[in-house]
Amino acid sequence: MVGKPLVSIVSAGLSKFGRLDGMYCREIFAEAVKEAFEKCPNLDPVKDIEALFVGHMGEAYEHQGHTGPTLADWAGMLPKPAVRIESACASSGIALRTGILAILSGLHKIVIVGGVEKMTHRTTAEVTEFLAMASDLPFEQWHGITFPGLYALMATAHMHEYGTTEEQMAQVAVKNHHNGTLNPKAHMQKEITVEKAMASKVVAWPLKLYDCSLITDGASCLILTHPDLAKKFTDSPVHIIGSGQASDTIGLYEREKLTTLRAARLAGQEAYKMAGLEPKDLDVAEIHDCFTIAEIIAYEDLGLCSSGKGGSLVEEGTTELGGNIPINPSGGLKSKGHPVGATGTAQAYEIYLQLTEQAEERQVKGAEIGLSHNVGGSGATAGVHIYRRE
Amino acid sequence: MSEKPPPFTVSSFYKFVSEKKLMAAKCDKCGTILLPPKPMCTKCLSTNLEWIELEGVGKLLSYTIIYVAPVQFQSLAPYIVGIVELKSGLRLPGMIRGVEQEEIRVGMDLKIDFDTSVSSQWPAWPRYFFRPL
Ligand SMILES: [Zn+2]
């Protein structure tokens, strides 16, 4: 039996993703919130919204911490309680889960969950260093292992164990770049080819430039309500029917295997169980393709295929728009962009559009059930959510 | 009786590295070896631990070649880092020196070596690395 709604999404907002010169987190977040308010005329934000939970990874980028109340202020939401959630690249996926907990606790009935990051004003070397803070200091950062380096270690292991190829990884990039051209808010708006991806500059072998997600500015948010209130605000709410979260060791080297993320597997299992659904029931999913190998591993961790078959899944076209299970119709982190703190709720934003038939050229026809999969760091945090349309 | 052992911390681990020793914590109760050392056994939660020295020899489990490096490593790029599975089954990541890029292979035999020079900047730890056996 399909699980009952935990909470409902009644509106959502997404800033433009890309290089937003001269804007910082507070202004970018306000842009996302503005869209969510405008799309929901029956909501009186000042009266109805009770609290904010916002994902934000790094104070290093702007030399600005304490972002909960700052973002609430610029969104016109003072003096409501506002909390910044930090779970690396899963910050807003976990902010979403925190919002669900707040509503299920009975303390709040209507909340904003969202996230933001401003990155492009920093050099690539600085961003590389800041992102590495989400990995283990004493045994990874201290020895020069970068964030792409950690996923490269997973890629080498996956290639060695299962015969996954660099071409298959490039195919993930080609697919997601294509989807990005159909999303006006995506950072990248250009098609690429396998040849071009394969010939791009090496970042951390075997990962090349086109295997890596983008350094992007952006913000996202959702307005969540108790399911009983949803119809007051919209005729077409999207219900969250499954939520899973798990943790693993901060160091990649301590994990049982390098070719799977245990936290993502467990979070997925919890979400499927709560939703009363199986992988075959999904119509569309947004998954955490911070690197192309991450999407391949996620296919396996979420049960879309068996272990080691992720490379073949993309090769066969199963995960393209028009395929059996379209993955990352938004363009994903790869092409839509990865403002780390904004990513989790940006994935939820895309699923919300898909399940309310608002995804225009990239609409997955008749999509009823969606999933989002958000990973922090090299997999020490994972959050998975399952959604169904009204 | 015997002296109190150094605390089971990462800083103690690196103090041993400065003495060219690869040390881990062993749980007296369940026998689990903790690398990195942790103040509590993550398997049985016991705090009855002892330091043991590990043999720094193992096989390369996975590797990458870092081209885009953080600020403080830029002068070394491109450099090889990997995860080594020690004989004890425990794993340790680190830089791999003394191997040409074309010769690096999953499964190759490596041994630990120590660079005991200490930078003045926090956390002022020395470094270990791996090289061919
Ligand atoms: Zn124990």
Side-chain angles (χ1 to χ4, degrees), chain A residues 125 128-129 137-139 141-146 149 152-153 156-157 160 201-205 253-256 258, chain B residues 10 13-14 36 38 62-68 70-71 73-74 79 81 91 93 95 106 122-123 125-128:
Chain A
T128 301
E129 188 176 337
L137 169 77
F139 295 94
Q141 294 175 46
W142 187 245
H143 296 277
I145 303 180
T146 60
L153 289 166
T156 304
H160 184 78
K201 168 173 99 96
V202 179
V203 173
W205 187 91
Y253 62 97
E254 281 198 88
R255 313 267 173 82
E256 59 191 29
L258 301 178
Chain B
V10 170
F13 172 89
Y14 277 105
K38 294 170 184 173
S62 190
Y63 67 92
T64 176
I65 306 163
I66 307 279
Y67 282 78
V68 178
V71 182
F73 287 95
Q74 272 177 346
Y79 54 88
V81 293
R91 295 166 181 182
M95 221 176 263
V106 169
W122 180 87
W125 293 326
R127 287 187 171 88
Y128 62 82

Side-chain angles (χ1 to χ4, degrees), chain B residues 27 29-30 32 41 43-44 46:
Chain B
C27 174
K29 194 171 162 202
C30 78
T32 297
C41 174
K43 198 146 203 180
C44 77
S46 168

Side-chain angles (χ1 to χ4, degrees), chain A residues 1-3 241 272-279 281-282 369 386-387:
Chain A
M1 206 184 80
V2 178
I241 56 173
Y272 283 129
K273 190 171 176 217
M274 208 180 282
L277 295 172
E278 295 176 39
D281 299 317
L282 302 176
I369 303 287
I386 298 177
Y387 310 73

